[in-house]
Amino acid sequence: MGGKWKKLQQAPVVTTANGDTEAPSSSGRKHTLSLALPGSCIEHCPSAEAAAAVAAQIARAAAIFAVDEVVVYEEVPLGGDGSISLGSATLARVLQYLETPPFLRASLFPGSVAYPELRCAAALCPSLQTPHHSRSQEWQSYREGVVMRSEPDTGSFVDIGYERNAHVEECLPVGRRVTLYLGSSPSTAFVPAFSETMLKARLARPSEPRTQQGTYWGFSVRVATSLSRVLKEPGFKAGYDLSVGTARQGAVRQVAELVLPTFKHALVVLGGTQELEAIVAGDAALAQAGKGAADLFSLYLNCCPGQATASIRSEDAAILCLAYLHASLLKDGAGTGAGIACAPSCCPSLTLIPCSRQTLTLDQSPGAVWGKRGLEQAFGSSV
């Protein structure tokens, strides 16, 4: 598996939906940005509407500043059984719902009407207006879709929210969310098994629009049972090589003077109802290691010096901190890897979330990602 993966990463060309090849773009963004914040930020919301509003503000901040991964963590660990609080489960579920393109939500979240926070979120934030939230009349090289039908030896029928449906050669599980590459212009073919003229497409990794074109393609959602697990179980195989803690006690730097080390995978960590110092002190794993908040991160910064309030809410801190770091993150991000995210850890309390972003990992069995035909069929014989 390792040798095949190396060969795939070093492939000099990209196969288009029409069977042609094109050179990989040099304008792609290789580095990634992750944002970690506690689920406690919505635990004290008085209603589902208020909880949805907080989650929508966080989702919008993540989209505006091109966050690739949002990690919801437990401010106060609940124990060693892997359980999470209602606040964390709700926040993760709403973030995942809002990240999903609107035309896919009915298929991927069939029980969403049972959750008032999802109904409110859809009304407050119908679309993030990101490139992957495509309009029905808008042509894009990449689109998100959901598998509607699959036939052996025929392939899969994929709804991509366009005037025509798409066809891929792989036989994929019905209900699977996929990223497709359609080419620079439409190419169609009649598929007898589906009795329909369909767009030719090929499967793509969710990270491909970012790495090939520099196009922001949404964020994955991961849940961690403690702050220590945010760092010990990174969402990327290579781990986070830059971590930034944000708190009132952090160092004060003017935006123009801020210099970050070159990184591939950056992580920005926010506090919640408690400052990061208290959260670190209450984490048994971190306390046992004898680490304080200032020792835990590559940089420990005050992103809002001179604040006039006693505290800053997490949803406000997300906008403030990402805006403060934005220019430096763009300038100093110089990763050359493909930035393939690991799949979110399966937490029993997250069974309420019916769909998770399908991503590829080096240690994951091919069948778990692309169905019965496996990785070789999904990406061709060059894998």
Side-chain angles (χ1 to χ4, degrees):
M1 181 73 180
K4 293 179 179 179
W5 178 255
K6 184 176 181 180
K7 185 176 181 181
L8 174 63
Q9 283 189 313
Q10 295 176 347
V13 295
V14 175
T15 304
T16 68
N18 302 330
D20 300 326
T21 58
E22 61 182 20
S25 171
S26 60
S27 62
R29 174 171 63 89
K30 308 301 182 183
H31 65 272
T32 65
L33 173 61
S34 299
L35 174 69
L37 73 169
S40 60
C41 64
I42 66 169
E43 286 184 349
H44 301 295
C45 291
S47 64
E49 290 84 356
V54 170
Q57 185 173 334
I58 294 170
R60 285 289 295 163
I64 290 169
F65 295 105
V67 171
D68 302 294
E69 178 196 33
V70 178
V71 187
V72 180
Y73 71 90
E74 289 297 338
E75 185 173 326
V76 179
L78 301 181
D81 59 353
S83 60
I84 61 173
S85 64
L86 177 61
S88 293
T90 301
L91 178 58
R93 183 167 58 245
V94 177
L95 288 174
Q96 199 172 48
Y97 181 82
L98 291 174
E99 189 278 336
T100 302
F103 72 91
L104 294 180
R105 291 172 183 171
S107 298
L108 297 177
F109 292 81
S112 60
V113 293
Y115 301 103
E117 65 272 16
L118 296 187
R119 296 198 304 270
C120 295
L124 290 169
C125 188
S127 173
L128 293 179
Q129 297 181 319
T130 51
H132 75 300
H133 282 211
S134 312
R135 295 182 175 89
S136 60
Q137 302 298 322
E138 178 185 14
W139 179 259
Q140 288 184 305
S141 298
Y142 293 92
R143 291 185 80 96
E144 292 291 283
V146 60
V147 178
M148 305 302 292
R149 287 178 58 192
S150 290
E151 297 289 344
D153 302 322
T154 299
S156 301
F157 175 120
V158 183
D159 178 9
I160 58 171
Y162 192 64
E163 55 191 23
R164 287 189 184 275
N165 295 304
H167 173 259
V168 294
E169 296 180 353
E170 293 75 22
C171 186
L172 303 171
V174 173
R176 171 68 54 83
R177 176 178 170 178
V178 292
T179 303
L180 300 184
Y181 179 72
L182 300 162
S184 56
S185 60
S187 177
T188 60
F190 182 75
V191 183
F194 300 132
S195 302
E196 186 175 332
T197 299
M198 309 179 76
L199 292 167
K200 295 180 181 179
R202 69 162 173 83
L203 289 172
R205 301 183 187 90
S207 61
E208 189 174 309
R210 169 178 57 81
T211 59
Q212 292 296 321
Q213 297 182 345
T215 302
Y216 177 63
W217 210 248
F219 53 83
S220 61
V221 180
R222 179 166 68 93
V223 175
T225 56
S226 65
L227 178 57
S228 58
R229 288 187 175 272
V230 173
L231 302 169
K232 291 181 179 179
E233 300 172 357
F236 299 89
K237 192 67 178 179
Y240 305 114
D241 52 356
L242 173 65
S243 58
V244 181
T246 61
R248 195 169 191 172
Q249 294 77 15
V252 175
R253 298 283 188 274
Q254 296 299 321
V255 174
E257 301 172 354
L258 183 62
V259 178
L260 303 179
T262 301
F263 67 91
K264 293 182 181 179
H265 304 298
L267 171 69
V268 177
V269 182
L270 309 180
T273 56
Q274 305 178 88
E275 290 277 7
L276 278 179
E277 286 84 356
I279 297 175
V280 171
D283 190 307
L286 297 177
Q288 187 175 6
K291 290 188 176 182
D295 306 318
L296 191 61
F297 305 102
S298 308
L299 294 171
Y300 194 52
L301 301 173
N302 181 347
C303 296
C304 186
Q307 68 183 63
T309 57
S311 62
I312 299 177
R313 296 177 62 91
S314 297
E315 64 271 26
D316 297 328
I319 298 175
L320 283 170
C321 296
L322 291 173
Y324 173 83
L325 296 167
H326 185 60
S328 297
L329 289 169
L330 290 178
K331 179 182 65 175
D332 298 315
T336 56
I340 305 302
C342 296
S345 56
C346 296
C347 185
S349 301
L350 274 180
T351 53
L352 294 174
I353 301 180
C355 170
S356 62
R357 192 73 176 264
Q358 292 294 333
T359 51
L360 193 63
T361 66
L362 299 184
D363 56 354
Q364 194 171 23
S365 63
V369 180
W370 296 115
K372 295 180 180 179
R373 299 192 66 180
L375 183 64
E376 288 78 6
Q377 285 80 4
F379 286 109
S381 58
S382 64
V383 178

